[in-house]
Amino acid sequence: MSKDLRPCPFCGLQARIRKINDKHYAVTCIMNCAGTKITTKEKAIEIWNKRAIV
Ligand SMILES: [Zn+2]
């Protein structure tokens, strides 16, 4: 099951996953105007996609 990242709700640009360490990730947009907390990969994606506008 793959989860796609939605575009940034603020600038509409692409989001990306930043790996912090083996267990921690954050999702930010490429302009760094929005981001999630540092958490697990799945949770970071989930938080991001809930925030993003479809
Ligand atoms: Zn953005």
Side-chain angles (χ1 to χ4, degrees), residues 8 11 29 33:
C8 174
C11 68
C29 91
C33 64

Side-chain angles (χ1 to χ4, degrees), residues 6-39:
R6 291 180 183 163
C8 174
F10 300 104
C11 68
L13 295 178
Q14 191 181 351
R16 65 182 174 189
I17 298 175
R18 278 175 47 216
K19 186 176 182 180
I20 309 300
N21 60 40
D22 282 347
K23 292 185 179 176
H24 295 93
Y25 292 81
V27 178
T28 62
C29 91
I30 59 175
M31 296 293 287
N32 284 321
C33 64
T36 65
K37 291 180 194 170
I38 294 167
T39 178

